[in-house]
Amino acid sequence: MKPNETSWSIPHDNQDLLDLTIDEWGDDHGLSAYNTPLRSDAFELSDVEKVAKIEHHFREIMETLGLDLTDDSLKGTPLRVAKMYVKEIFGGLNPANKPKATLFENKYKYNEMLVEKDISFYSNCEHHFVPIFGKAHVAYISSGKVIGLSKLNRIVQYFAKRPQVQERLTVQIAKELESILDTPNVAVVMDAKHLCVASRGVQDDTSTTVTAYYGGKFQEADTKSEFLKYLELSK
Ligand SMILES: [Zn+2]
């Protein structure tokens, strides 16, 4: 061994784990169940307790990375991240934050398709905890009830504010709309960029991922193509 060469090395098993973590694990983005995998005790801690706990652990992460937490710019970061996780970007984990759906009678007898398109959303990939962001397009055909347009937006935001995979996010939004509007005639298309693909891993900065859910009449070719024509995504 040369004098300046280190004798320290990562044990074989751990090296495997490192390689696997960086190159493969979580890059498949496979779909699990459509319910977010939450433990039954998920809400036993209050938000304040969660913020305190995450602050502590995020500080450990930053210190492990070698960052100087006495630096003015860094010292507030663990608390900022903890609040952001609990109150903002993962606030949709808590059913207490679910938007209340106010329904109205369909007094105009409007029985055509209603499309709300280009709803901006920000979510986070549950495999890497980096952003997924893009546009959601939702549509339904009324069964007699209609919903305020801003509610469609809020439902998208609620489910986006969870660690997610795009496929599950798409299905969760659709299932919620089916349940609130009491109709299977619901469609959701999401077109999003994944920073875990763009800024790391394969570093593809231009690709986007499109996922779709077509329920009830939207499975019929005419209805689906009418919807896609409104989105100008049919080509
Ligand atoms: Zn990812």
Side-chain angles (χ1 to χ4, degrees):
M1 187 186 291
K2 291 176 204 130
N4 60 350
E5 216 172 276
T6 174
S7 64
W8 183 84
S9 69
I10 300 170
H12 181 69
D13 286 353
N14 289 353
Q15 184 62 57
D16 280 356
L17 180 62
L18 270 182
D19 289 346
L20 185 66
T21 305
I22 293 164
D23 295 329
E24 293 164 32
W25 201 23
D27 272 4
D28 288 343
H29 293 91
L31 179 62
S32 51
Y34 93 77
N35 286 318
T36 298
L38 276 174
R39 291 195 325 271
S40 58
D41 63 353
F43 303 104
E44 281 178 11
L45 292 181
S46 69
D47 281 1
V48 172
E49 289 168 321
K50 286 182 182 182
V51 167
K53 199 167 176 179
I54 293 170
E55 179 191 12
H56 167 77
H57 289 293
F58 204 81
R59 184 181 307 279
E60 297 279 304
I61 290 172
M62 292 177 71
E63 279 172 353
T64 305
L65 290 170
L67 292 165
D68 178 3
L69 273 287
T70 65
D71 184 272
D72 266 354
S73 172
L74 296 181
K75 67 183 180 194
T77 300
L79 180 58
R80 269 192 296 271
V81 170
K83 281 184 177 170
M84 177 183 73
Y85 275 13
V86 174
K87 297 289 192 184
E88 296 176 297
I89 64 175
F90 302 131
L93 286 171
N94 191 340
N97 296 329
K98 193 165 163 173
K100 308 270 174 296
T102 322
L103 295 172
F104 305 96
E105 286 302 322
N106 182 10
K107 62 183 174 190
Y108 311 112
K109 300 294 168 214
Y110 181 80
N111 56 7
E112 294 297 318
M113 182 184 306
L114 185 143
V115 181
E116 177 88 350
K117 63 179 195 176
D118 293 330
I119 300 171
S120 295
F121 73 89
Y122 289 85
S123 189
N124 282 272
C125 154
E126 70 183 17
H127 301 135
H128 300 94
F129 274 50
V130 294
I132 301 171
F133 61 96
K135 302 287 185 195
H137 316 286
V138 305
Y140 70 95
I141 300 166
S142 175
S143 66
K145 300 281 184 189
V146 292
I147 189 172
L149 293 180
S150 67
K151 282 286 156 31
L152 295 173
N153 211 299
R154 291 218 171 87
I155 289 164
V156 170
Q157 310 307 342
Y158 170 70
F159 288 104
K161 287 179 178 176
R162 296 176 173 192
Q164 279 290 13
V165 293
Q166 188 177 327
E167 296 93 324
R168 186 202 295 126
L169 174 58
T170 306
V171 176
Q172 285 180 337
I173 293 164
K175 292 288 178 192
E176 178 69 9
L177 291 172
E178 281 181 358
S179 148
I180 294 173
L181 292 162
D182 195 23
T183 176
N185 303 323
V186 159
V188 178
V189 169
M190 306 191 86
D191 185 3
K193 195 174 262 298
H194 292 235
L195 286 198
C196 58
V197 175
S199 69
R200 56 158 298 286
V202 295
Q203 302 206 316
D204 180 341
D205 190 27
T206 53
S207 66
T208 63
T209 304
V210 178
T211 47
Y213 178 99
Y214 301 108
K217 286 185 186 163
F218 285 93
Q219 290 176 6
E220 294 166 16
D222 286 358
T223 309
K224 186 191 283 187
S225 80
E226 181 188 344
F227 170 54
L228 293 177
K229 219 180 306 162
Y230 294 137
L231 303 190
E232 296 172 319
L233 281 175
S234 53
K235 298 175 222 68

